[in-house]
Amino acid sequence: MRNTQETESGAPVPGTAPVRFDTKVAVLLRDDLATWQRLNVTAFLVSGLGTAAPEVIGEPYEDADATAYLPMLRQPVLVFEGAGKTVAAAHARALSRSLTTAVFTADLFGTGNDRDNRAAVRAVGRDALDLVGLAVYGPRNAVDKVLKGARMHP
Protein backbone atom coordinates (compact mmCIF):
# COMPACT_ATOMS: atom_id res chain seq x y z
CA MET A 1 0.00 0.00 0.00
CA ARG A 2 1.39 3.37 -1.05
CA ASN A 3 1.55 6.41 1.24
CA THR A 4 -1.09 8.92 0.12
CA GLN A 5 1.51 11.66 0.59
CA GLU A 6 3.51 10.41 -2.41
CA THR A 7 3.17 10.84 -6.15
CA GLU A 8 2.99 7.81 -8.49
CA SER A 9 6.79 7.92 -8.74
CA GLY A 10 7.13 7.75 -4.93
CA ALA A 11 8.25 11.39 -4.57
CA PRO A 12 6.66 13.43 -1.78
CA VAL A 13 3.67 15.52 -2.82
CA PRO A 14 4.81 19.17 -2.77
CA GLY A 15 3.99 20.78 0.56
CA THR A 16 3.43 17.49 2.42
CA ALA A 17 6.98 16.44 3.30
CA PRO A 18 7.88 16.75 6.99
CA VAL A 19 9.26 20.16 7.87
CA ARG A 20 12.75 20.01 9.35
CA PHE A 21 14.29 22.99 11.08
CA ASP A 22 17.99 23.77 11.28
CA THR A 23 17.20 25.77 14.40
CA LYS A 24 15.73 24.99 17.79
CA VAL A 25 13.61 26.97 20.23
CA ALA A 26 13.98 25.69 23.78
CA VAL A 27 12.93 26.76 27.24
CA LEU A 28 14.79 25.51 30.29
CA LEU A 29 13.00 25.76 33.63
CA ARG A 30 14.36 25.30 37.11
CA ASP A 31 12.87 22.06 38.41
CA ASP A 32 11.57 23.45 41.73
CA LEU A 33 8.95 25.80 40.27
CA ALA A 34 5.23 25.50 40.99
CA THR A 35 3.04 24.60 38.02
CA TRP A 36 1.66 28.13 37.64
CA GLN A 37 5.23 29.48 37.69
CA ARG A 38 6.36 27.04 34.98
CA LEU A 39 3.53 28.13 32.71
CA ASN A 40 4.02 31.83 33.41
CA VAL A 41 7.80 31.71 32.92
CA THR A 42 7.48 29.75 29.67
CA ALA A 43 4.98 32.23 28.25
CA PHE A 44 7.12 35.22 29.18
CA LEU A 45 10.33 33.69 27.85
CA VAL A 46 9.03 32.82 24.40
CA SER A 47 7.18 36.12 24.02
CA GLY A 48 10.35 38.01 23.12
CA LEU A 49 11.74 35.65 20.51
CA GLY A 50 9.83 37.10 17.57
CA THR A 51 11.24 40.58 18.13
CA ALA A 52 14.85 39.40 18.31
CA ALA A 53 14.57 36.69 15.66
CA PRO A 54 11.64 37.54 13.37
CA GLU A 55 12.30 34.44 11.26
CA VAL A 56 10.82 32.29 14.05
CA ILE A 57 7.36 33.75 13.44
CA GLY A 58 5.11 31.98 10.96
CA GLU A 59 2.26 33.33 8.88
CA PRO A 60 -1.03 34.55 10.39
CA TYR A 61 -3.76 31.96 10.89
CA GLU A 62 -7.25 32.02 9.41
CA ASP A 63 -10.14 29.64 10.00
CA ALA A 64 -12.62 28.40 7.39
CA ASP A 65 -14.84 31.42 8.12
CA ALA A 66 -11.97 33.81 7.28
CA THR A 67 -11.56 34.89 10.91
CA ALA A 68 -8.00 36.14 11.27
CA TYR A 69 -5.71 35.06 14.13
CA LEU A 70 -2.22 36.13 15.16
CA PRO A 71 0.83 34.38 13.78
CA MET A 72 2.71 32.12 16.18
CA LEU A 73 6.13 30.56 16.31
CA ARG A 74 6.75 28.53 13.17
CA GLN A 75 8.37 25.63 14.97
CA PRO A 76 7.85 23.67 18.16
CA VAL A 77 9.10 24.98 21.49
CA LEU A 78 10.85 22.23 23.44
CA VAL A 79 10.59 22.60 27.21
CA PHE A 80 13.28 21.21 29.50
CA GLU A 81 13.93 21.28 33.22
CA GLY A 82 16.94 21.05 35.46
CA ALA A 83 18.41 22.03 38.79
CA GLY A 84 19.46 25.62 39.39
CA LYS A 85 23.08 24.82 38.57
CA THR A 86 21.97 23.29 35.24
CA VAL A 87 20.06 26.47 34.36
CA ALA A 88 23.06 28.63 35.33
CA ALA A 89 25.45 26.52 33.25
CA ALA A 90 23.09 26.62 30.26
CA HIS A 91 22.89 30.40 30.59
CA ALA A 92 26.68 30.71 30.50
CA ARG A 93 26.93 28.38 27.49
CA ALA A 94 24.18 30.24 25.60
CA LEU A 95 25.93 33.57 26.14
CA SER A 96 29.34 32.16 25.19
CA ARG A 97 27.83 30.97 21.91
CA SER A 98 26.08 34.33 21.29
CA LEU A 99 22.70 32.63 20.98
CA THR A 100 19.46 34.57 21.22
CA THR A 101 18.57 34.26 24.90
CA ALA A 102 15.79 35.42 27.23
CA VAL A 103 15.98 35.13 31.03
CA PHE A 104 13.49 35.02 33.86
CA THR A 105 14.75 35.50 37.40
CA ALA A 106 13.10 34.70 40.73
CA ASP A 107 12.83 38.46 41.39
CA LEU A 108 10.33 38.80 38.54
CA PHE A 109 7.70 36.89 40.52
CA GLY A 110 7.53 39.93 42.81
CA THR A 111 7.14 42.61 40.16
CA GLY A 112 4.01 43.51 38.27
CA ASN A 113 5.08 45.25 35.09
CA ASP A 114 7.70 45.35 32.37
CA ARG A 115 9.52 48.40 33.73
CA ASP A 116 10.03 46.79 37.13
CA ASN A 117 10.97 43.47 35.52
CA ARG A 118 13.74 45.11 33.51
CA ALA A 119 14.96 47.02 36.58
CA ALA A 120 15.11 43.81 38.63
CA VAL A 121 17.27 42.08 36.03
CA ARG A 122 19.46 45.16 35.53
CA ALA A 123 20.18 45.36 39.28
CA VAL A 124 22.03 42.02 39.33
CA GLY A 125 25.25 40.98 37.59
CA ARG A 126 25.08 38.25 34.93
CA ASP A 127 26.74 35.59 37.09
CA ALA A 128 24.59 36.38 40.15
CA LEU A 129 21.16 36.24 38.47
CA ASP A 130 18.78 33.91 40.34
CA LEU A 131 17.60 32.25 37.15
CA VAL A 132 14.39 30.23 37.18
CA GLY A 133 14.22 29.91 33.42
CA LEU A 134 15.72 30.81 30.11
CA ALA A 135 14.76 30.54 26.47
CA VAL A 136 17.33 30.00 23.79
CA TYR A 137 17.12 30.04 20.01
CA GLY A 138 19.77 29.16 17.50
CA PRO A 139 21.28 26.37 15.42
CA ARG A 140 19.98 23.01 16.60
CA ASN A 141 23.40 21.58 17.51
CA ALA A 142 24.40 24.69 19.47
CA VAL A 143 21.14 24.69 21.45
CA ASP A 144 21.59 20.98 22.19
CA LYS A 145 25.04 21.74 23.64
CA VAL A 146 23.63 24.58 25.75
CA LEU A 147 21.03 22.22 27.24
CA LYS A 148 23.55 19.57 28.28
CA GLY A 149 22.44 18.09 31.60
CA ALA A 150 18.81 19.19 31.24
CA ARG A 151 15.95 16.76 30.75
CA MET A 152 12.69 17.06 28.82
CA HIS A 153 9.94 18.54 30.95
CA PRO A 154 7.45 15.82 31.93
Side-chain angles (χ1 to χ4, degrees), residues 25-50:
V25 176
V27 171
L28 174 57
L29 302 171
R30 202 170 68 194
D31 59 7
D32 62 348
L33 298 179
T35 300
W36 74 266
Q37 291 173 318
R38 291 170 187 256
L39 295 170
N40 185 268
V41 170
T42 300
F44 268 93
L45 288 171
V46 298
S47 70
L49 282 177

Side-chain angles (χ1 to χ4, degrees), residues 25-30 33 38 41-47 49 77-95 99-106 108 126 129-137 143 146-148 150:
V25 176
V27 171
L28 174 57
L29 302 171
R30 202 170 68 194
L33 298 179
R38 291 170 187 256
V41 170
T42 300
F44 268 93
L45 288 171
V46 298
S47 70
L49 282 177
V77 176
L78 300 172
V79 181
F80 296 82
E81 68 175 6
K85 64 183 178 183
T86 302
V87 177
H91 176 246
R93 288 191 293 266
L95 296 179
L99 297 178
T100 301
T101 306
V103 296
F104 197 104
T105 67
L108 302 188
R126 172 180 47 236
L129 292 170
D130 184 7
L131 295 169
V132 298
L134 65 93
V136 63
Y137 168 73
V143 172
V146 163
L147 296 171
K148 182 180 177 186

Side-chain angles (χ1 to χ4, degrees), residues 21 25 46 49-50 53-62 69-77:
F21 296 99
V25 176
V46 298
L49 282 177
E55 70 275 11
V56 302
I57 303 298
E59 296 296 320
Y61 286 74
E62 183 177 289
Y69 301 99
L70 294 173
M72 294 185 282
L73 296 175
R74 68 182 177 135
Q75 65 190 88
V77 176

